[in-house]
Amino acid sequence: MNELINYTLQLADNSLILGHRNSEWTGHGPILEQDIAISNIVLDLIGQARNFYQYAAVLINNSTNQQFNQSTTEDTLAYLRNENEFKNCLLVEQPNGDWAKTILRQFFFSAYQFYLYQHLQNSNDETIAAIAEKSLKEVTYHLRWSSEWIIRLGDGTEESNSRMQKAIDDLWMYTDEFFEASSYELFAANEGFGAGVSLLKKDWMKKVKDVFDEATLSVPAELKQQIKWFGKEGKHSEHLGYILTEMQFLQREYPNSIW
Amino acid sequence: MEEQNSISNDDGNNSPSGARGNEWPLWEIFIRSKNGLDHKHAGSLHAADAEMAIENARDVYTRRMEGVSIWAVESKYIHASNPDEASSLYDPANDKLYRHPTFYDLPDELRNM
């Protein structure tokens, strides 16, 4: 049961944290149309997170082995958990940087999500399967939108190409975590409610290579730097703390306040 | 995408040079709200090429379920009538009521007429 809860929370956390990161662009997008585009993606991601949090809350409240306090809700999960309880991968908490870096982060994640949710559609957990199926339409568009941008920037001007390449150098090392299974992901894959993440790597890599080829960008040969943390198990980079401080401020300072 | 190369090149549109986003050409967006109806002008937006215009239109004009189909036309290809000629163009129709098909009885089943 705990594994199912953790697995669901991880899916929620990835979407929430990336959604929050992207939301930092709202009002600051490079042009109005793209400001709206990225904000639409934010709303999709937060919507996915809500679905998974709601499900996790039901599981937690029904669970006899109470790991959390009574009457958990989607809001308590988003606003009252600490950094080490969040299970998002490190990539999604990385700072926005410039437009190239934001786009690349979205592309890496959307491509991963795309193949992951294709598997989760067939999850033997009906709720996870249903959320994955619904979200896949959104993810398909995110992947298309971010791919188009990668190609434009990579195959654009000298400056846009070098910014894109720099973003790749900055973010590439975080992509391996997608395919390294945490304990609850291994359990989930064995039980049939989750996907075997290591199996997603081949499709993901092919997609990245295809888009990079068209964008005249190159995939780094090997990792420059080994990551010491593992977000999926709650070991985060320094950035998540700042995100949570801002995101959770209101509920922490004024508990139970509502709109 | 074939002919357009507008991010860096001057594509000949008349938008004032200024903010960087304005170097992208302007596009007119037409949305069909449901199958069987006409595409209607929804507004305009900036985009580097046709593909991006359609994606931007999707994000700007269909986010509240407004559409099932999008047309994008670069604004410079739209030719407009001259407002100064309005009286000679349109006023002569004012007293020609017989041109309206209002004397026919339409069956109730006929919609969108």
Side-chain angles (χ1 to χ4, degrees):
Chain A
M1 196 56 173
N2 274 339
E3 281 83 1
L4 178 57
I5 292 170
N6 285 337
Y7 192 77
T8 307
L9 283 175
Q10 182 225 10
L11 294 169
D13 290 344
N14 276 334
S15 292
L16 179 71
I17 299 301
L18 185 59
H20 185 83
R21 266 295 186 225
N22 283 341
S23 79
E24 294 168 5
W25 276 104
T26 302
H28 304 276
I31 64 164
L32 178 68
E33 288 83 351
Q34 296 306 327
D35 194 301
I36 296 173
I38 191 114
S39 300
N40 278 348
I41 291 176
V42 168
L43 292 173
D44 290 344
L45 289 168
I46 305 285
Q48 294 163 10
R50 288 194 60 193
N51 284 329
F52 285 122
Y53 282 136
Q54 285 164 2
Y55 181 46
V58 170
L59 293 172
I60 291 166
N61 289 328
N62 290 343
S63 154
T64 47
N65 177 15
Q66 287 278 359
Q67 187 186 348
F68 302 88
N69 291 333
Q70 298 268 304
S71 81
T72 299
T73 67
E74 52 176 321
D75 285 339
T76 62
L77 290 171
Y79 294 129
L80 299 179
R81 278 182 308 147
N82 292 326
E83 204 181 322
N84 59 3
E85 294 171 283
F86 273 78
K87 293 167 180 57
N88 58 279
C89 57
L90 296 169
L91 178 84
V92 297
E93 67 198 42
Q94 297 310 305
N96 288 344
D98 57 11
W99 189 243
K101 192 170 172 187
T102 293
I103 293 295
L104 184 72
R105 187 183 58 197
Q106 188 64 50
F107 171 67
F108 282 161
F109 183 74
S110 293
Y112 165 70
Q113 220 185 2
F114 180 75
Y115 296 112
L116 175 65
Y117 282 19
Q118 279 188 348
H119 282 261
L120 292 185
Q121 281 188 113
N122 303 318
S123 166
N124 61 16
D125 183 293
E126 278 177 24
T127 310
I128 289 181
I131 300 172
E133 188 185 345
K134 174 175 180 286
S135 305
L136 194 55
K137 290 178 194 165
E138 300 165 350
V139 173
T140 304
Y141 185 74
H142 303 168
L143 181 57
R144 169 183 158 159
W145 177 86
S146 54
S147 302
E148 289 286 332
W149 265 110
I150 301 271
I151 293 163
R152 282 203 176 77
L153 293 176
D155 195 18
T157 65
E158 207 172 302
E159 183 182 357
S160 70
N161 178 281
S162 73
R163 282 181 182 235
M164 209 63 237
Q165 198 63 57
K166 180 173 183 318
I168 295 170
D169 294 342
D170 286 348
L171 293 180
W172 185 255
M173 59 180 162
Y174 297 105
T175 58
D176 239 20
E177 187 183 357
F178 291 152
F179 314 109
E180 298 272 340
S182 59
S183 55
Y184 52 85
E185 282 173 312
L186 283 176
F187 185 90
N190 283 335
E191 292 292 310
F193 63 82
V197 284
S198 59
L199 305 174
L200 306 174
K201 186 166 185 174
K202 210 175 122 223
D203 285 337
W204 183 88
M205 198 60 103
K206 183 175 184 315
K207 177 72 188 173
V208 169
K209 258 193 82 46
D210 287 352
V211 172
F212 278 16
D213 282 348
E214 201 177 339
T216 69
L217 296 164
S218 47
V219 176
E222 64 188 88
L223 291 179
K224 270 197 229 161
Q225 199 182 330
Q226 206 62 39
I227 303 286
K228 297 178 221 53
W229 323 285
F230 197 50
K232 290 174 173 183
E233 304 272 21
K235 300 187 188 70
H236 292 280
S237 62
E238 75 209 69
H239 305 296
L240 183 66
Y242 291 98
I243 295 175
L244 295 186
T245 304
E246 188 180 344
M247 194 177 76
Q248 298 182 334
F249 161 77
L250 201 78
Q251 279 303 320
R252 299 274 195 193
E253 194 76 1
Y254 304 98
N256 303 320
S257 57
I258 51 169
W259 286 100
Chain B
M1 278 184 83
E2 311 80 50
E3 302 167 12
Q4 304 290 333
N5 185 14
S6 344
I7 292 185
S8 51
N9 293 353
D10 183 357
D11 60 348
N13 77 349
N14 297 323
S15 63
S17 58
R20 248 211 251 173
N22 284 346
E23 289 172 20
W24 287 349
L26 194 66
W27 298 75
E28 301 301 322
I29 303 301
F30 300 83
I31 308 276
R32 161 182 278 170
S33 57
K34 59 180 182 182
N35 286 325
L37 294 187
D38 298 333
H39 285 76
K40 285 218 163 56
H41 188 231
S44 55
L45 47 75
H46 289 98
D49 54 46
E51 192 102 353
M52 192 194 279
I54 288 175
E55 287 189 2
N56 286 352
R58 181 265 188 194
D59 282 320
V60 176
Y61 293 116
T62 69
R63 55 202 298 267
R64 299 184 187 87
M65 304 188 297
E66 292 95 334
V68 295
S69 166
I70 296 171
W71 285 351
V73 183
E74 211 180 323
S75 305
K76 68 179 180 186
Y77 294 117
I78 304 262
H79 300 273
S81 61
N82 186 345
D84 294 342
E85 295 166 0
S87 59
S88 62
L89 287 175
Y90 312 118
D91 287 355
N94 276 351
D95 58 353
K96 298 177 175 71
L97 206 61
Y98 50 84
R99 289 176 179 170
H100 291 264
T102 47
F103 307 103
Y104 295 97
D105 289 329
L106 291 179
D108 290 340
E109 303 84 64
L110 200 58
R111 297 181 200 280
N112 300 324
M113 185 78 181

